[in-house]
Amino acid sequence: GENVEQHPSTLSVQEGDSAVIKCTYSDSASNYFPWYKQELGKGPQLIIDIRSNVGEKKDQRIAVTLNKTAKHFSLHITETQPEDSAVYFCAAREAAGNKLTFGGGTRVLVKP
Amino acid sequence: GAGVSQSPRYKVAKRGQDVALRCDPISGHVSLFWYQQALGQGPEFLTYFQNEAQLDKSGLPSDRFFAERPEGSVSTLKIQRTQQEDSAVYLCASSLTPGGFNEKLFFGSGTQLSVL
C-alpha cells in the first residue's frame, strides 16, 4: 500500500517569512495529493490539493508543487501570519482506491 | 447540515466497555470514511462506505471494531471491549461523489476517546 513521509515534523518561522513542508510517497499510481490544516481540537481542513496531471497550483499565499518522477510534493506558505500556526498534513490517494494515506504531520509555529 | 457532525465530542470509557460513536455526514454526500488519529500522528484509515455499502474495512484494527451506515446517511462506529490502545481521536469524513475519487474530503471535529 501507499506510504507517505513528511518533513520536517516541526517548523518555526518568523512572521512574514516563508514555510516549506515536503512529502514523499511510494506508490507511483497515486494521483491526488491534498494538504490539510488541523488546529487544536478540530478536524483536518482541506487548504489546497493537486492532481497528478498538474505540476503546480497556487491559491493566494499557498502553493503546492508536485514532482511525479521523484514522487514528492511540497507545500509553500508565503508571508506567514500567526494564524498560519497549526499542524499541516499531506496525503496521497491511490488511483485504484478510495482512501487517503496521510503523512505524520508538521507542526508550524509562526512567531510574531 | 453545514458540515460533518460527530458526537459525542468526548468519550471516557472504562477498559472492557463498549462504545458507539456517531457521524452525520454532509447532506447528500455519498462517500463516508472513518479515520483514527493517535496523539501527534496523522489520521489512519479505518473503513469506507459508499451509501450503505461498506466497500473497504481493511483498516479496522481488530474484530472489536464495527461500523455501519444502514440508510446511507448517518454512520456509527462501534468498539467492543475497549482497550487502552483504542484511545485516540476518531474522525469521520464525507465526500460528494461515489468512491470519493479525486473529490474533496470534508472532516468532522472528531470524537476523542479515552479508555481508562
Side-chain angles (χ1 to χ4, degrees):
Chain A
E2 176 67 276
N3 182 51
V4 178
E5 299 285 340
Q6 182 172 346
H7 300 280
S9 57
T10 60
L11 181 59
S12 182
V13 297
Q14 206 67 38
E15 181 178 0
D17 287 350
S18 295
V20 180
I21 304 170
K22 298 182 178 181
C23 289
T24 59
Y25 61 99
S26 62
D27 188 347
S28 57
S30 289
N31 62 2
Y32 176 63
F33 307 91
W35 286 86
Y36 286 84
K37 175 183 181 181
Q38 188 172 30
E39 297 176 325
L40 193 61
K42 296 183 179 180
Q45 180 182 11
L46 180 69
I47 56 172
I48 195 167
D49 57 10
I50 190 167
R51 291 165 175 74
S52 58
N53 58 347
V54 176
E56 184 174 357
K57 183 177 178 180
K58 188 174 182 180
D59 182 4
Q60 299 183 338
R61 297 186 296 109
I62 295 174
V64 58
T65 60
L66 171 65
N67 183 327
K68 288 176 57 181
T69 302
K71 291 189 287 187
H72 67 71
F73 55 114
S74 301
L75 178 72
H76 303 252
I77 307 173
T78 59
E79 301 172 21
T80 53
Q81 301 169 3
E83 53 264 37
D84 294 329
S85 296
V87 179
Y88 291 80
F89 292 97
C90 62
R93 176 150 56 206
E94 302 165 32
N98 304 300
K99 63 185 180 185
L100 290 176
T101 300
F102 285 82
T106 297
R107 182 173 299 278
V108 174
L109 175 63
V110 180
K111 296 179 288 185
Chain B
V4 178
S5 177
Q6 292 187 245
S7 61
R9 188 73 181 86
Y10 303 93
K11 178 67 178 178
V12 178
K14 291 183 178 179
R15 190 162 52 116
Q17 282 185 333
D18 298 348
V19 298
L21 313 179
R22 177 187 170 104
C23 172
D24 281 87
I26 295 172
S27 179
H29 276 199
V30 171
S31 298
L32 185 146
F33 300 79
W34 284 98
Y35 282 81
Q36 180 190 59
Q37 186 174 26
L39 187 63
Q41 298 183 22
E44 292 194 357
F45 171 81
L46 293 176
T47 188
Y48 161 67
F49 290 86
Q50 180 178 318
N51 294 309
E52 70 278 5
Q54 189 176 20
L55 300 185
D56 188 347
K57 54 181 181 180
S58 62
L60 296 177
S62 77
D63 58 8
R64 296 186 296 105
F65 287 70
F66 172 77
E68 61 183 3
R69 193 186 185 198
E71 297 180 358
S73 54
V74 171
S75 177
T76 304
L77 177 66
K78 298 179 179 179
I79 309 173
Q80 297 177 324
R81 304 182 302 281
T82 52
Q83 304 294 315
Q84 285 188 323
E85 60 263 28
D86 299 335
S87 296
V89 174
Y90 290 85
L91 295 165
C92 177
S94 69
S95 67
L96 180 60
T97 58
F101 182 71
N102 279 348
E103 185 56 65
K104 301 181 190 302
L105 200 60
F106 297 90
F107 281 85
S109 293
T111 293
Q112 184 171 332
L113 173 65
S114 299
V115 181
L116 306 179

